[in-house]
Amino acid sequence: MRINADFSKRVVIRPDDYEWVKSPAAGVERMMLDRIGEEVARATTIVRFAPESYFDAHTHGGGEEFFVLEGVFSDETGDYPAGTYVRNPIGTSHTPHTKEGCTILVKLHQFDPSDRVQFHTDTTEAPFKPGHTEGVSVLPLHSAVNEEVRLVRFAPGARAPLHSHKGGEEIFVLDGTLQDEHGTYPAGTWLRSPDRSEHAPFSDGGCLIYMKTGHLPKVTA
């Protein structure tokens, strides 16, 4: 299976574009954003768990990163409410489940083998730092040899300068509306921009985004 597998192309998926498909687990549905592979795949997915649903125990052969968008996600290590960011490196395992239901943004099989840190962060409690642009603040989440992950908050009217993305950029709009010269992106929108792409993002009404950079294949000359 190949979904949005050409990383040299820009991709935008808004909530109106969602097409939910059933997973092998009862009560669990997926919106596949990008995917290379079958059930075990390099994948970026929105996963929606119905109340009292679960996945069987499994091991993360290529690592797992996820952000809880709604509800409470649970496993053997604890309960993770909306706003929690979790990293489970290569070789870790768990049995995901939920009592009340939840929705997560999850990325699989995208870890560098040297990236061995396992942790979770409650982003609703963590302090943001001033960014390089007035009205833009940043919450760093993780840094590895192949990626930088952070939350970025735009105050109403904040505008970032035109900049390029070495190694590409991936954005998920968590709250509010992000804008740039290419379009308007409401909450729930996923954007993937290729290596060396550029834009000048802004937000008239303010927004909060998840952003990952540097992790996409480089464009060769």
Side-chain angles (χ1 to χ4, degrees), residues 4 6-7 9-11 34 169 190-194 216:
N4 295 321
D6 185 348
F7 295 103
K9 294 182 178 179
R10 183 173 185 267
V11 182
D34 67 26
E169 178 189 60
W190 177 76
L191 304 90
R192 195 188 68 203
S193 300
L216 301 178

Side-chain angles (χ1 to χ4, degrees), residues 49-66:
F49 291 75
E52 303 294 347
S53 61
Y54 63 91
F55 259 110
D56 291 337
H58 58 271
T59 299
H60 306 121
E64 174 191 63
E65 168 195 12
F66 65 88

Side-chain angles (χ1 to χ4, degrees), residues 3 26 33 55 67 74 89 101 105 128 130 135 145 153 166 184 193:
I3 298 173
L33 302 173
F55 259 110
F67 190 94
S74 302
L105 172 70
F128 281 67
V145 295
R153 179 179 288 137
K166 184 178 180 180
T184 297
S193 300

Side-chain angles (χ1 to χ4, degrees), residues 25 28 49 52-60 64 66 72-80 88 92-99 102 104 118:
V28 182
F49 291 75
E52 303 294 347
S53 61
Y54 63 91
F55 259 110
D56 291 337
H58 58 271
T59 299
H60 306 121
E64 174 191 63
F66 65 88
V72 179
F73 175 97
S74 302
D75 64 15
E76 300 91 325
T77 63
D79 300 319
Y80 304 112
N88 293 317
T92 57
S93 62
H94 67 166
T95 306
H97 59 277
T98 178
K99 182 177 181 179
C102 67
I104 65 174
Q118 184 175 23

Side-chain angles (χ1 to χ4, degrees), residues 37-203:
E38 300 306 317
E39 189 55 36
V40 177
R42 182 205 188 281
T44 304
T45 311
I46 303 170
V47 182
R48 184 167 64 186
F49 291 75
E52 303 294 347
S53 61
Y54 63 91
F55 259 110
D56 291 337
H58 58 271
T59 299
H60 306 121
E64 174 191 63
E65 168 195 12
F66 65 88
F67 190 94
V68 184
L69 302 173
E70 298 176 347
V72 179
F73 175 97
S74 302
D75 64 15
E76 300 91 325
T77 63
D79 300 319
Y80 304 112
T84 306
Y85 174 72
V86 180
R87 289 187 73 91
N88 293 317
I90 295 171
T92 57
S93 62
H94 67 166
T95 306
H97 59 277
T98 178
K99 182 177 181 179
E100 66 180 57
C102 67
T103 303
I104 65 174
L105 172 70
V106 60
K107 298 180 67 65
L108 299 173
H109 285 263
Q110 299 176 42
F111 276 48
D112 185 89
S114 66
D115 187 1
R116 306 297 303 171
V117 180
Q118 184 175 23
F119 69 92
H120 67 273
T121 299
D122 181 353
T123 67
T124 65
E125 299 290 340
F128 281 67
K129 302 177 181 178
H132 297 297
T133 301
E134 183 177 357
V136 177
S137 55
V138 178
L139 172 58
L141 294 174
H142 187 65
S143 178
V145 295
N146 63 328
E147 64 181 49
E148 297 285 338
V149 187
R150 65 201 72 122
L151 297 190
V152 180
R153 179 179 288 137
F154 284 73
R159 308 180 72 91
L162 182 70
H163 58 277
S164 63
H165 304 298
K166 184 178 180 180
E169 178 189 60
E170 193 172 339
I171 288 172
F172 189 87
V173 183
L174 298 169
D175 187 50
T177 300
L178 179 71
Q179 298 151 275
D180 65 12
E181 63 271 37
H182 306 297
T184 297
Y185 317 106
T189 301
W190 177 76
L191 304 90
R192 195 188 68 203
S193 300
D195 176 41
R196 303 182 193 179
S197 60
E198 61 181 25
H199 71 158
F202 64 95
S203 180

